[in-house]
Structure formats: C-alpha cells, structure tokens
Amino acid sequence: MKIYRANIIFTPSPDKLEVIPHGYIVVGSNGLIEGIYTELPENMDWRRQVIDFGDKLLIPAFNDLHVHAPQYRNLGLALDLELLPWLNTYTFTEETKYADPEYARRMYRRFVHELWMQGTMRAAVFGTIHPEATRILADLFIQAGMGARVGLVGMNRNCPDILSNTTESLMEGMRMLKAHLDEHGNNGLVSPIITPRFIPSCTPDMLAALGNYAAETGLPVQSHLSENRSEIDWVRELEPDSVCYGDAYNRYGLFGQTPTLMAHCCYSGEEEIALMKQNGVYVVHCPMSNSNLSSGIAPIRTYLEKGVRVAMGTDVSAGHNMSMLRAMQYAIQVSKLHYAASHGEVRFLTLSEVFYLATKAGGLFFGKVGSFEPGYEFDALLVDDHYLNYDNYTLEQRLERYLYLGDDRDIKRRFCRGVELTEPVY
Ligand code: GUN
Ligand code: FE
C-alpha cells in the first residue's frame, strides 16, 4: 500500500473539478485507488507511511485516444495540404519506411519516450501495415510500463502498392500480434486494436474480415470518420448503399459491435450521430489536427448534449504536438471560434469539460482509468508549477495556468496502474 499527499485535482464528472488541498490518496498494492481523504484516519501505521509531495499538484495522467506512431518524424512538418493530398504526399511516404525494423525501432523509441515525457500514460495508437515494426512498437510500450492499444493498420486500396497489405497478410499479422500480447502484454496493459485505416483504404473483403475478427475476439476497433468534406464525398461514391459514412463501418461490424474509437467526426449528420449514440461509439476529438489540415470544427457540444461518448486525441502528426495539454487548449479555443461563428448559440467547452475528456472520458476506454475515485487504477502525474504560482492562485487557477502555460518539464513523477514509471532507457 502507498499513501501520497498532495494537492489533488480530478474530474469525476465533466461539469466540476474535484479539488482536495493537501489531500491523501491511498493506493493498494494492486495499483487500485482505495480511498481519498482530506484528513487521514487516526491510524499511526498509516501516518508513518505518507509520501508527502508538498504543494505540488497530483492529477490523473492523460489518455491520448488517437495518435499515429509512424508519423512521429513528421511532427511540425507538412501541414500545408488538406487530408487526401496530405496523406499521399507526406504521410504514406513516411509510413513506407517502417518496412525496415531498424528504422521503426529508432523512431518508435523516440515516440514512446515522448509520450512518457508528456504524461500520456495510455494511448490508442496506429502503427503501419508492417507486423514486425508494430510488434516492436508494442514491445516498447511494455518495456516502458505504459498502457496502449496498438493497431496493425489495414489498407489495400487507393494507396501505394508498397504500403498495401492483403486481407490474408493483415489477418495473419493480427493473429500473431494478439498471441504475442496475450502472453507478454503486461496483464492486458498493452493489447491489440483492430485498425482499418479508413473506408477509402480498405476493400469490402478486408472490412468484412476485420468485422468477423472483432466478433470472434471481442477486440476493439479504431478508425477515422467524417474528417474532411472531400473524404466524405469519396466514401459516398465508394459505398453508395450506406446511409452515411458511419453506416459503411457498421455494415461490416466495425461500429460499436466491440468498443470503437472514431477520430474526428467534423461533419457527422443526424443519422451518423444517432448510430454513434445507439452503438456507444466514441468520437475522438482531435482539434489540433482539424485546424492543421483545414478539416473543420467538430461539433463537440452537440455530441455531449446528445449523449455521444467523446474522448480526445492528438492525431500526431496531423496534430503537431504530442502534448495533451496542447490538445485541451485547442479544444477550448476551437470551441470558442465555433461559439463565435454560431453567434453565441453553441456554448464553448470549459476547463473542467476538456480536462474530463483528456482524463476520465478517454480512460474509461481502458477500464477504470482516468479518475481518482475508489476502484480506479492509479494513473497519475505529479506537477510542479511553483514558477507559475507566484501569487495566491486557487488550485483551479493553478490547473488552468498549467494547461495553458505548462509543459512536460513540470511533470516530476508519472504513475501507471499504481507503478511509478521512470524514464524509459533503451
Ligand atoms: N485518414 C486516414 N488516414 C489518416 C491519417 O493518417 N491521419 C488523419 N488525420 N486522417 C487520416
Ligand atoms: Fe488519424
């Protein structure tokens, strides 16, 4: 058992920050939170064990629900095109390099290290079509002690031959990855996720095989949905019988039949929204990416009001920064542009709402993760913001300033499932 004392901040619900000045959090040896206290019970044995973090902030670690590991080298580059030419010009070219396991190892080390640095303890990650590179990526997460859903990407049309797999090679790769992670995945901390790139990249045959595999294994699914207008028009041509883009996934059993993440959803219409709600599909909001690729503004307030699940992602490298702090900042700012464009009709997102999205909402995809309620896995960051805290700021204000002004250097300790994760050295 461990007992930590710090300024504790978390969001059990989206509307309010829970703030406990100099509170205590008791973590069991199984890594689960046993309780949270303003005063410690009169128990001498407990009192002796307290690890006191002084005036620092203790917050849930971040969960990035949409990020492309093999686009790491392109961070901060190549943001002068819209989605479809961006994929063809910059992204497919870079991902092709992951046929080389040594290149993959070199880049993926940096990628996993940076996730650790930024305090993202769990992520839903796209790899490439390459089974060996993707296994290397998964192994790096295991070594680091971090949580990840790792996707071997399916793509077999409308892409360069050299970056295509076949349905057979994809399914064989998926089975190998699953067998490997069933055995070595750190008790489910690292596990596979079914990853059709998006409808334009996958033939009906591949989508059907992946849908069957989801039904057979119960594995979750991640993909892209209604990101860009040209993409949506293209999907309408490719799948003329589908009611909407989301329905194209749904027909193949890839839309909430198992837990499903759909990145973007900038242009989802009534039918698509109804289908996402009905099937419990998560919208993964990636506002940095939607700004950089001129995709659009995802109507997150509408999704929240309609009861659609929402989480957040960086979508690196269409998103230009690995930090979930930046993703949260963008989410608020983009929602304020939406508010202005709607003449004040659509309320913008609040600090506690985006903090909830980046911690508990995303965490729930991984189990009881992302909050400090009893029974939750202890995933946490210890933040030293003393240089920002030079006057009598409240804890809520300190969190707000950290969100806007802070960065990875302020994170002093990181915990995942109760274990403190030191810097990965490879
Ligand atoms: N749609 C299909 N592939 C991608 C990708 O790599 N990034 C983004 N943002 N959208 C996509
Ligand atoms: Fe993406």
Side-chain angles (χ1 to χ4, degrees):
M1 192 178 75
K2 291 265 167 49
I3 304 170
Y4 302 108
R5 180 172 186 264
N7 291 309
I8 296 168
I9 308 178
F10 64 110
T11 38
S13 65
D15 46 301
K16 190 173 156 289
L17 293 170
E18 187 82 32
V19 171
I20 305 170
H22 299 294
Y24 299 86
I25 187 159
V26 180
V27 181
S29 51
N30 54 6
L32 303 187
I33 294 164
E34 291 184 359
I36 200 157
Y37 305 92
T38 47
E39 291 292 335
L40 218 47
E42 287 293 332
N43 181 328
M44 283 317 288
D45 195 38
W46 276 27
R47 278 170 190 268
R48 240 180 282 129
Q49 287 187 48
V50 172
I51 299 168
D52 194 342
F53 291 135
D55 199 41
K56 297 185 183 67
L57 309 175
L58 190 71
I59 60 174
F62 301 128
N63 302 305
D64 186 344
L65 279 273
H66 186 81
V67 57
H68 296 262
Q71 298 174 15
Y72 187 69
R73 189 185 180 281
N74 281 356
L75 259 182
L77 296 177
L79 299 171
D80 56 348
L81 294 172
E82 285 193 34
L83 174 65
L84 300 176
W86 173 83
L87 283 170
N88 284 315
T89 309
Y90 305 117
T91 305
F92 291 162
T93 319
E94 178 59 21
E95 291 192 14
T96 300
K97 298 180 189 168
Y98 287 74
D100 173 7
E102 283 319 302
Y103 184 77
R105 190 180 304 279
R106 184 153 68 85
M107 287 299 161
Y108 282 162
R109 277 178 177 165
R110 289 184 175 271
F111 171 79
V112 173
H113 181 268
E114 179 150 2
L115 274 183
W116 174 88
M117 223 164 71
Q118 300 289 1
T120 301
M121 291 296 109
R122 311 218 188 198
V125 188
F126 278 59
T128 57
I129 64 161
H130 309 103
E132 190 171 352
T134 305
R135 189 187 49 77
I136 289 169
L137 176 61
D139 285 346
L140 289 165
F141 278 110
I142 295 168
Q143 261 179 277
M146 291 155 62
R149 287 286 193 172
V150 180
L152 179 68
V153 174
M155 46 197 293
N156 66 346
R157 66 172 174 184
N158 299 312
C159 48
D161 284 346
I162 193 170
L163 195 62
S164 279
N165 43 15
T166 61
T167 301
E168 292 69 39
S169 66
L170 171 63
M171 297 320 296
E172 194 196 329
M174 285 292 306
R175 283 190 206 95
M176 278 168 45
L177 184 64
K178 182 173 183 303
H180 180 68
L181 294 178
D182 281 348
E183 189 172 347
H184 302 289
N186 219 346
N187 289 322
L189 203 52
V190 180
S191 59
I193 182 164
I194 293 168
T195 307
R197 180 168 212 122
F198 66 159
I199 293 286
S201 295
C202 304
T203 59
D205 164 71
M206 178 176 273
L207 294 166
L210 290 176
N212 289 337
Y213 193 60
E216 180 193 319
T217 57
L219 286 178
V221 172
Q222 62 179 352
S223 195
H224 298 90
L225 179 65
S226 298
E227 175 176 6
N228 165 290
R229 288 197 177 93
S230 310
E231 172 210 21
I232 294 167
D233 292 343
W234 196 16
V235 171
R236 206 173 286 125
E237 284 170 30
L238 292 167
E239 288 280 333
D241 296 337
S242 293
V243 179
C244 57
Y245 190 163
D247 185 41
Y249 290 112
N250 193 42
R251 284 165 181 245
Y252 296 101
L254 294 166
F255 208 63
Q257 287 74 14
T258 59
T260 299
L261 303 172
M262 285 289 157
H264 307 304
C265 305
C266 298
Y267 299 102
S268 297
E270 290 292 323
E271 288 115 346
E272 195 159 280
I273 295 173
L275 200 54
M276 291 194 287
K277 179 175 159 78
Q278 187 187 320
N279 291 10
V281 168
Y282 280 79
V283 169
V284 187
H285 182 36
C286 304
M288 292 191 288
S289 166
N290 298 155
S291 302
N292 289 327
L293 298 189
S294 314
S295 298
I297 297 180
I300 298 305
R301 173 63 65 204
T302 305
Y303 298 147
L304 294 175
E305 282 177 352
K306 296 202 171 183
V308 177
R309 292 182 178 165
V310 180
M312 296 222 25
T314 58
D315 194 25
V316 160
S317 67
H320 60 282
N321 197 300
M322 293 279 285
S323 169
M324 288 296 287
L325 293 174
R326 290 294 78 75
M328 285 187 268
Q329 177 191 326
Y330 266 71
I332 294 175
Q333 291 180 329
V334 162
S335 78
K336 288 179 176 171
L337 297 178
H338 193 186
Y339 165 88
S342 75
H343 298 276
E345 290 238 327
V346 183
R347 274 185 304 130
F348 51 78
L349 300 176
T350 64
L351 174 75
S352 75
E353 283 175 324
V354 297
F355 194 71
Y356 178 87
L357 294 181
T359 56
K360 186 172 174 181
L364 287 172
F365 187 72
F366 299 93
K368 279 188 150 184
V369 173
S371 183
F372 288 157
E373 293 154 78
Y376 274 66
E377 300 183 32
F378 184 63
D379 281 29
L381 306 175
L382 185 72
V383 174
D384 183 356
D385 65 336
H386 73 274
Y387 71 103
L388 296 171
N389 185 28
Y390 45 76
D391 200 6
N392 296 319
Y393 296 104
T394 64
L395 287 176
E396 287 87 347
Q397 289 174 328
R398 284 172 62 182
L399 183 75
E400 189 168 3
R401 283 165 61 79
Y402 169 60
L403 190 154
Y404 281 105
L405 304 171
D407 62 41
D408 59 280
R409 290 168 295 183
D410 310 334
I411 304 175
K412 299 305 169 195
R413 291 172 189 253
R414 297 151 178 85
F415 299 86
C416 183
R417 204 182 255 177
V419 178
E420 181 169 1
L421 301 188
T422 52
E423 184 164 8
V425 279
Y426 306 114

